[in-house]
Structures are given as structure tokens and as C-alpha cells.
């Protein structure tokens, strides 16, 4: 079963105060949060379990919190499954760092430090209120691209997350995003609405952040992943450390090609997925991309134990 399973790791938007509540008292989860707290210099577990939400939702806190939650679940899976390894891994945006840690390409401590910096660089790159993101629902990708091209008018507005058929996220200058929303509605979008975020991720406005991230990543030792990881920017696998480093830099200002990623999994023989992290965001997207491939959301003890039982039956 494991040779047909892919582990997928969520990105920003999956966090919430109280996440991982069903697993939070497990020793390996506690230890993972303790390791992250030591790197960060503050108590990450208290922030995740008690909030406040405003602090958890600051991107420089959200990113290490989600990374830590995902790695903690992976470590618990490894402990309970006798180190059973899936066929593939991938992560959505920030989740790509979780995938690389769990695949052995990057140490957990390095990843915690880097994603904290990544969040700070992203926030610094675009002042509050200057950028925006919006979700466009029920419109073909090419129509979304056309709306962005027409709305730009010298500003930046781009399609940045191809999340599922009929669900594309756009990002850029706030005024241009607003124009693109109206054009998308005119073109027949079922809905087009602003997202409650402070950073316009994955668009050209993030290039200054990417330049700073590139410098930080030079201090990180990368290895070939033990499990193939499909990258957001290429929807393909990389094994060379320098290529992985380059992909992580480009990822900050490039689209997340999630539909292509999931289709690549299915084309490679994957028949099931495990969402290794908080929430069910990726499970919801997968239902629109690969409907016949079930997704186990490991934040749920029941789903975790069911997948474990399936693995043990093999």
C-alpha cells in the first residue's frame, strides 16, 4: 500500500489555535515542538495551543508552527508504522519545507530557522495594505490569466496558486487585484473575493524576499531526498541539492502548480494520499483533482489509525 501512497503537507491557511489537539500530548509531538521552540527562542507549543490567533496568524509565526505540526505528525507516523515510507511527497507552498524535512533533505532545525526568516522577508517585502490576494472560483485558468493581464495596467497581478480545477488564487498590488476580481466576475466567475492575508505570496512582488532567502539558504546543508519530493515550481522531482535550493528561492515568486503535482502523482501510480498536517485543506482540493484517490487527514486520530491499520495489513 505504501508504494501507492503520497504524503502531502499543507501551507498557510491550515493553521488554527488548538490544532493537533488529538495528538498534542503524544511524547514525540511534544518533543518536536520543544525542538522548534529552542530554535525560535519562544514557546511555540503555547502559541499553538493557547494563541492568541492574531499572533499565530502572523506569517513569521504561522510558517514555523505549520512546519512543526507537520513534522510532528510525520514523526508520530514513523514511530507507529515502523518507519513505513510513502512513494512520494509534496507540500503546498510552505508545506514544501515540511516535505523536504520529512524526506531527509533538510534538518528540522534548519527548516524552522529558515521558514521563520522566510515569513519575515515576505512581510518586509510588501508593506501592509499594498498587496492583496484573492480566490477566483468557477473560472477556467486561461480566463483568470486573461483577467490578470487586462487588470495589471502597469501593476503586478498574477495567478499564483493553481489549487484545483476552477479554483485559482491571484496576488499582486491591491488595486490590480481588485480590478482582476471585477474582470473575473464579468468573465463568468462563480465567486471572486479577497483573502484575509497580509502578504501577496508567489507573485513578482516577492522577488526582494526571494533574494534575501537565497542568501539564508546558502547556510543550509541539503541532501538528496530519501523519498521523491515534487516541487511547486516545476511539478517535478529534483534530487540535486543545488537544484532544490534554487527551487525554494524561485518558489517565493512563482505559482504553486498543485493541480499538476497531484496529476503527476496519479500518473505515477499513486492511488491514495495522506495529508500530514493540520486541517483538511488539501483533502478538499484533491477531491476536485483526483476524486478516486482517498485522502487520510492525519490530524484525526481515527484517520491516522485507519491508515496505520491498512499499512499493517499489507
Amino acid at each position: 500500500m505504501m508504494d501507492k501512497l503520497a504524503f502531502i503537507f499543507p501551507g498557510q491557511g491550515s493553521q488554527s489555535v488548538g490544532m493537533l489537539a488529538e495528538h498534542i500530548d503524544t511524547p514525540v509531538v511534544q518533543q518536536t515542538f520543544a525542538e522548534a521552540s529552542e530554535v525560535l527562542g519562544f514557546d511555540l507549543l503555547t502559541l499553538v495551543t493557547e494563541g492568541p490567533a492574531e499572533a499565530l496568524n502572523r506569517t513569521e509565526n504561522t510558517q514555523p508552527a505549520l512546519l512543526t505540526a507537520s513534522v510532528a505528525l510525520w514523526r508520530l507516523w514513523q514511530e507507529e508504522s515502523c518507519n513505513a515510507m510513502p512513494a512520494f511527497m509534496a507540500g503546498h507552498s510552505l508545506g514544501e519545507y515540511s516535505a523536504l524535512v520529512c524526506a531527509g533533505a533538510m534538518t528540522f532545525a534548519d527548516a524552522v530557522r529558515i521558514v521563520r526568516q522566510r515569513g519575515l522577508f515576505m512581510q518586509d517585502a510588501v508593506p501592509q495594505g499594498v498587496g492583496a490576494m484573492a480566490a477566483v472560483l468557477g473560472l477556467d485558468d486561461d480566463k483568470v490569466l486573461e483577467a490578470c493581464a487586462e487588470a495589471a495596467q502597469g501593476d503586478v497581478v498574477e495567478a499564483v496558486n493553481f489549487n484545483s480545477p476552477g479554483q485559482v488564487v491571484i496576488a499582486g498590488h491591491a488595486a490590480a487585484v481588485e480590478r482582476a476580481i471585477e474582470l473575473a466576475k464579468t468573465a463568468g466567475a462563480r465567486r471572486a473575493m479577497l483573502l484575509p492575508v497580509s502578504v501577496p505570496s508567489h507573485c513578482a512582488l516577492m522577488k526582494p524576499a526571494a533574494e534575501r532567502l537565497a542568501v539564508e539558504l546558502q547556510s543550509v546543508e541539503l541532501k538528496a531526498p530519501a523519498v521523491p519530493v515534487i516541487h511547486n515550481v516545476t511539478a517535478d522531482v529534483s534530487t540535486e541539492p543545488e537544484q532544490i535550493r534554487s527551487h525554494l528561492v524561485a518558489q517565493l515568486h512563482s505559482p504553486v502548480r498543485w493541480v499538476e503535482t497531484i496529476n503527476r502523482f496519479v500518473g505515477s501510480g499513486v492511488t491514495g494520499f495522506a495529508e500530514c498536517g493540520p486541517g483538511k485543506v488539501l483533502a478538499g482540493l484533491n477531491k476536485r483533482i483526483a476524486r478516486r484517490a482517498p485522502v487520510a487527514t492525519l490530524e484525526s486520530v481515527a484517520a491516522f489509525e485507519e491508515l496505520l491499520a491498512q499499512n499493517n495489513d499489507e
Side-chain angles (χ1 to χ4, degrees):
M1 192 263 306
M2 293 302 292
D3 62 348
K4 296 182 179 180
L5 184 70
F7 268 59
I8 51 178
F9 300 84
Q12 286 186 241
S14 291
Q15 76 278 1
S16 63
V17 175
M19 62 186 182
L20 253 59
E22 294 185 29
H23 298 284
I24 205 70
D25 292 328
T26 308
V28 69
V29 174
Q30 292 274 319
Q31 176 60 30
T32 304
F33 273 91
E35 290 175 30
S37 297
E38 186 172 348
V39 173
L40 295 169
F42 65 86
D43 188 345
L44 184 63
L45 183 62
T46 297
L47 177 61
V48 163
T49 55
E50 300 179 14
E54 296 78 18
L56 179 60
N57 289 337
R58 287 204 297 269
T59 188
E60 68 270 21
N61 294 334
T62 304
Q63 296 198 31
L66 283 171
L67 170 79
T68 303
S70 292
V71 172
L73 270 182
W74 169 253
R75 289 177 172 180
L76 182 60
W77 168 262
Q78 290 281 275
E79 196 174 80
E80 296 291 328
S81 71
C82 299
N83 298 312
M85 303 293 277
F88 290 97
M89 293 180 178
H92 191 287
S93 189
L94 175 278
E96 189 164 306
Y97 288 82
S98 305
L100 288 168
V101 171
C102 296
M106 182 185 297
T107 70
F108 178 52
D110 276 343
V112 171
R113 177 176 61 84
I114 287 293
V115 302
R116 170 76 170 179
Q117 291 297 313
R118 181 179 183 266
L120 289 168
F121 296 159
M122 291 169 71
Q123 193 66 69
D124 289 347
V126 182
Q128 189 91 16
V130 172
M133 299 183 78
V136 180
L137 308 181
L139 195 63
D140 289 344
D141 292 356
D142 59 346
K143 296 292 184 183
V144 176
L145 293 170
E146 288 174 12
C148 289
E150 186 178 344
Q153 300 177 21
D155 289 337
V156 170
V157 57
E158 301 167 1
V160 297
N161 292 352
F162 294 93
N163 283 335
S164 68
Q167 185 184 131
V168 178
V169 174
I170 63 175
H173 287 109
V177 171
E178 293 274 14
R179 292 192 293 268
I181 286 173
E182 294 309 313
L183 287 167
K185 290 178 179 177
T186 300
R190 189 171 77 252
R191 292 184 70 191
M193 65 280 192
L194 288 170
L195 297 174
V197 298
S198 59
V199 175
S201 303
H202 299 293
C203 73
L205 296 179
M206 288 293 107
K207 286 185 177 179
E211 292 170 2
R212 296 174 71 186
L213 180 65
V215 175
E216 290 294 323
L217 281 169
Q218 287 304 315
S219 66
V220 175
E221 181 184 3
L222 295 173
K223 300 178 181 178
V227 176
V229 174
I230 293 183
H231 295 272
N232 290 175
V233 297
T234 60
D236 204 352
V237 172
S238 295
T239 58
E240 293 294 326
E242 289 310 311
Q243 197 172 49
I244 293 170
R245 201 184 316 272
S246 176
H247 289 340
L248 291 176
V249 174
Q251 188 216 50
L252 261 191
H253 58 83
S254 304
V256 174
R257 297 163 61 179
W258 195 249
V259 174
E260 291 177 72
T261 296
I262 299 304
N263 285 334
R264 170 70 190 276
F265 282 143
V266 173
S268 299
V270 167
T271 58
F273 295 86
E275 183 166 2
C276 190
K280 302 178 180 180
V281 171
L282 299 182
L285 297 181
N286 273 30
K287 287 178 182 177
R288 304 185 187 96
I289 306 169
R291 297 180 182 179
R292 296 182 180 179
V295 183
T297 52
L298 299 188
E299 185 179 31
S300 158
V301 166
F304 188 104
E305 291 181 348
E306 182 179 353
L307 186 65
L308 194 63
Q310 291 172 11
N311 175 65
N312 292 337
D313 288 343
E314 287 294 309

PDB file of all heavy atoms in Angstrom, residues 13 28 72 122 128 142 157 278:
ATOM      1  N   GLY A  13      -2.848  28.941   5.971  1.00  0.00           N
ATOM      2  CA  GLY A  13      -4.295  28.851   5.859  1.00  0.00           C
ATOM      3  C   GLY A  13      -4.839  27.635   6.591  1.00  0.00           C
ATOM      4  O   GLY A  13      -6.027  27.572   6.914  1.00  0.00           O
ATOM      5  N   VAL A  28       6.301  12.297  21.226  1.00  0.00           N
ATOM      6  CA  VAL A  28       7.067  12.727  20.055  1.00  0.00           C
ATOM      7  C   VAL A  28       6.591  14.083  19.538  1.00  0.00           C
ATOM      8  O   VAL A  28       7.394  14.885  19.036  1.00  0.00           O
ATOM      9  CB  VAL A  28       7.026  11.656  18.939  1.00  0.00           C
ATOM     10  CG1 VAL A  28       5.637  11.523  18.320  1.00  0.00           C
ATOM     11  CG2 VAL A  28       8.069  11.958  17.871  1.00  0.00           C
ATOM     12  N   ALA A  72       5.895  16.916  13.290  1.00  0.00           N
ATOM     13  CA  ALA A  72       5.493  16.138  14.470  1.00  0.00           C
ATOM     14  C   ALA A  72       4.594  14.968  14.074  1.00  0.00           C
ATOM     15  O   ALA A  72       4.777  13.839  14.553  1.00  0.00           O
ATOM     16  CB  ALA A  72       4.773  17.043  15.469  1.00  0.00           C
ATOM     17  N   MET A 122       9.052  37.915   3.656  1.00  0.00           N
ATOM     18  CA  MET A 122       7.825  38.120   2.891  1.00  0.00           C
ATOM     19  C   MET A 122       7.057  39.334   3.407  1.00  0.00           C
ATOM     20  O   MET A 122       6.567  40.153   2.630  1.00  0.00           O
ATOM     21  CB  MET A 122       6.955  36.855   2.958  1.00  0.00           C
ATOM     22  CG  MET A 122       7.531  35.670   2.209  1.00  0.00           C
ATOM     23  SD  MET A 122       6.663  34.115   2.568  1.00  0.00           S
ATOM     24  CE  MET A 122       5.099  34.410   1.721  1.00  0.00           C
ATOM     25  N   GLN A 128       2.153  46.523   4.600  1.00  0.00           N
ATOM     26  CA  GLN A 128       0.751  46.171   4.866  1.00  0.00           C
ATOM     27  C   GLN A 128      -0.179  47.051   4.046  1.00  0.00           C
ATOM     28  O   GLN A 128      -0.046  48.263   4.011  1.00  0.00           O
ATOM     29  CB  GLN A 128       0.451  46.365   6.356  1.00  0.00           C
ATOM     30  CG  GLN A 128      -0.898  45.843   6.806  1.00  0.00           C
ATOM     31  CD  GLN A 128      -0.836  44.403   7.272  1.00  0.00           C
ATOM     32  OE1 GLN A 128       0.223  43.877   7.543  1.00  0.00           O
ATOM     33  NE2 GLN A 128      -1.988  43.763   7.351  1.00  0.00           N
ATOM     34  N   ASP A 142      -7.358  29.811 -18.126  1.00  0.00           N
ATOM     35  CA  ASP A 142      -6.975  30.776 -19.155  1.00  0.00           C
ATOM     36  C   ASP A 142      -7.753  32.081 -19.011  1.00  0.00           C
ATOM     37  O   ASP A 142      -7.226  33.166 -19.284  1.00  0.00           O
ATOM     38  CB  ASP A 142      -7.139  30.190 -20.558  1.00  0.00           C
ATOM     39  CG  ASP A 142      -8.558  29.737 -20.862  1.00  0.00           C
ATOM     40  OD1 ASP A 142      -9.380  29.615 -19.933  1.00  0.00           O
ATOM     41  OD2 ASP A 142      -8.861  29.495 -22.055  1.00  0.00           O
ATOM     42  N   VAL A 157      -0.271  41.785 -10.980  1.00  0.00           N
ATOM     43  CA  VAL A 157      -1.340  40.873 -10.546  1.00  0.00           C
ATOM     44  C   VAL A 157      -1.190  39.600 -11.370  1.00  0.00           C
ATOM     45  O   VAL A 157      -1.152  39.640 -12.600  1.00  0.00           O
ATOM     46  CB  VAL A 157      -2.757  41.479 -10.688  1.00  0.00           C
ATOM     47  CG1 VAL A 157      -3.067  41.921 -12.111  1.00  0.00           C
ATOM     48  CG2 VAL A 157      -3.805  40.493 -10.178  1.00  0.00           C
ATOM     49  N   PRO A 278      -2.047  20.001   9.930  1.00  0.00           N
ATOM     50  CA  PRO A 278      -3.344  20.430  10.434  1.00  0.00           C
ATOM     51  C   PRO A 278      -4.378  20.598   9.319  1.00  0.00           C
ATOM     52  O   PRO A 278      -4.046  20.985   8.200  1.00  0.00           O
ATOM     53  CB  PRO A 278      -3.039  21.789  11.074  1.00  0.00           C
ATOM     54  CG  PRO A 278      -1.564  21.840  11.231  1.00  0.00           C
ATOM     55  CD  PRO A 278      -1.000  21.006  10.149  1.00  0.00           C
TER      56      PRO A 278
END
